[in-house]
Amino acid sequence: MSSSERLQPGRGANLVEVPDGAYVYVVRSRRSGGVSVGVDLTPAGACPLACDYCQVPRTERVTSIDRVELARLRIELSSTFQALAERGEQAVDVCFAGSGEPTWSPNFAAALEVAIDVAAGRVPVRVLTSGATLDWERVREPLAGLVARGAGEVWVKLDAWDEATIARFWASRGQARHEARIARFARETPTVLQVLVAARTHGPSIDATRRGLRDAIQRIVAAGAKIQRVSLTTMHRPPGTADQEVSAYDDDALDEIASVVREAGVPVTVAYARPRPAHASTDSVAPT
Ligand code: SF4
């Protein structure tokens, strides 16, 4: 796949009808709890991981990535905020997520500055990352700066708890390395852990999942990480590869997992597969 082709993840059922750009789209986000202005710096799906639940319809790993057109990104963000205002809608955040690993872009830091500048004083900027690039200075420093300036949050993925689960869930290796990367970053920078759990044929049980995640989070916290909270969710749409072995957990299963993950001593917010009243789904968490 050429890097100019677009996969358009997350631009489906929850899309809010405002002009859709090369980099910017708008969704009603369960995770963010409202209208979220999404930024997709990897429209061709470039990502170091190959998660079994990934909703991006790619058939192979994509590793080539173009530079972001910063002027275009600024125009798209500004016009999106204007379009939302004209509709009487209020965004809750600007969220770097999209079709792959947002920090992979060679000019990610400059793109983040554009978003912080446009969002300034309106909404926080959230960066959702796999964590694979957290040791890169050109990624670590802008992410740390985002939080230090009070301009937003960094959310890092943690789905697995040992070598067997990271291999099954992410087609990757190095669970201990991943946890160590998170701990190094989060010792200096308060961080949100984003955890996606799913039911898998012949996969780990709910009990193994909740104990495994609790233990992994405890290890990261014991290593000195400042974890603001855990954002626990499940799949909201089928995987992009139509893998029938992975499916969403229902609300009861999510609650069961959350109840044990909380034993790690950090707040847990839950984004269910279907929306619920906000008060029913979260611990007490300071608004950002
Ligand atoms: S990190 Fe995100 S985009 Fe990359 S494979 Fe996993 S779910 Fe898909």
Side-chain angles (χ1 to χ4, degrees):
M1 174 182 298
S2 89
S3 60
S4 60
E5 288 179 74
R6 294 177 47 185
L7 296 170
Q8 300 208 337
R11 305 187 187 196
N14 292 328
L15 190 68
V16 176
E17 290 178 10
V18 296
D20 194 20
Y23 301 117
V24 177
Y25 57 100
V26 181
V27 292
R28 297 193 192 283
S29 167
R30 293 177 185 85
R31 201 162 35 193
S32 297
V35 173
S36 179
V37 176
V39 177
D40 185 0
L41 300 187
T42 54
C47 188
L49 303 186
C51 303
D52 61 357
Y53 58 78
C54 185
Q55 292 155 7
V56 179
R58 65 169 86 68
T59 53
E60 58 188 27
R61 282 193 204 209
V62 180
T63 54
S64 65
I65 182 164
D66 297 329
R67 292 179 70 81
V68 178
E69 295 175 48
L70 299 174
R72 185 169 186 172
L73 175 61
R74 180 179 292 277
I75 288 169
E76 289 187 9
L77 280 169
S78 300
S79 60
T80 297
F81 274 106
Q82 187 177 341
L84 286 172
E86 286 167 3
R87 290 167 49 104
E89 299 257 26
Q90 176 70 50
V92 296
D93 65 6
V94 171
C95 186
F96 283 69
S99 335
E101 172 53 55
T103 65
W104 245 16
S105 169
N107 56 345
F108 162 71
L112 180 60
E113 275 305 316
V114 168
I116 292 170
D117 189 39
V118 175
R122 293 199 254 212
V123 293
V125 176
R126 296 192 166 105
V127 178
L128 276 54
T129 173
S130 69
T133 58
L134 274 181
D135 279 343
W136 300 359
E137 188 178 344
R138 70 172 180 79
V139 172
R140 183 181 64 245
E141 297 211 339
L143 290 180
L146 169 74
V147 178
R149 291 152 67 185
E153 296 178 333
V154 178
W155 293 32
V156 183
K157 282 165 79 78
L158 179 82
D159 299 334
W161 51 90
D162 58 19
E163 283 307 309
T165 51
I166 200 170
R168 172 92 191 250
F169 303 170
W170 289 2
S172 184
R173 290 186 297 179
Q175 176 67 19
R177 272 201 311 276
H178 183 62
E179 292 178 18
R181 259 195 314 260
I182 296 174
R184 273 193 295 279
F185 178 77
R187 265 184 222 124
E188 307 298 327
T189 301
T191 298
V192 177
L193 292 179
Q194 45 164 337
V195 177
L196 189 146
V197 291
R200 294 170 170 91
T201 307
H202 308 303
S205 64
I206 289 175
D207 190 50
T209 299
R210 60 190 192 170
R211 285 187 289 108
L213 289 170
R214 176 200 60 196
D215 294 350
I217 294 164
Q218 279 176 338
R219 287 192 295 270
I220 291 168
V221 171
K226 300 173 200 156
I227 302 302
Q228 288 178 299
R229 67 182 181 281
V230 172
S231 171
L232 178 70
T233 191
T234 189
M235 302 164 62
H236 300 135
R237 281 170 286 136
T241 53
D243 184 342
Q244 299 305 313
E245 296 196 342
V246 189
S247 58
Y249 271 134
D250 63 21
D251 294 359
D252 290 342
L254 280 178
D255 285 337
E256 279 184 53
I257 293 167
S259 69
V260 172
V261 169
R262 287 189 176 97
E263 293 173 5
V266 291
V268 178
T269 62
V270 183
Y272 297 96
R274 282 182 300 279
R276 276 183 167 189
H279 69 270
S281 65
T282 62
D283 285 347
S284 175
V285 174
T288 52

